[in-house]
Amino acid sequence: MSNGKPLATTPVPNTGDWDTYQATPAAPVDTLTGTHKLYLVFKSPQDNSFDMDAVQFSNP
């Protein structure tokens, strides 16, 4: 479990169907050096609120 500072946040829109996916906007983060553990943290007032298909990282 992460207890560090979040690098970025993004809203997850309701698509209306469990298997209807929608990309979220790119979330810019500060440049890091070295090796780090990365945790994805999801917060929602409901259980099973969404289904994530993929996470993509890119370097502009």
Side-chain angles (χ1 to χ4, degrees):
M1 184 64 158
S2 170
N3 60 0
K5 173 185 156 193
L7 295 176
T9 62
T10 188
V12 178
N14 183 341
T15 62
D17 188 15
W18 192 251
D19 288 319
T20 300
Y21 298 98
Q22 180 177 347
T24 58
V29 298
D30 293 334
T31 301
L32 299 173
T33 58
T35 302
H36 302 269
K37 289 183 179 180
L38 180 66
Y39 296 89
L40 301 177
V41 178
F42 304 97
K43 295 182 180 182
S44 174
Q46 301 171 318
D47 289 338
N48 300 318
S49 56
F50 64 92
D51 183 19
M52 184 178 68
D53 186 53
V55 176
Q56 180 178 350
F57 299 94
S58 63
N59 185 3

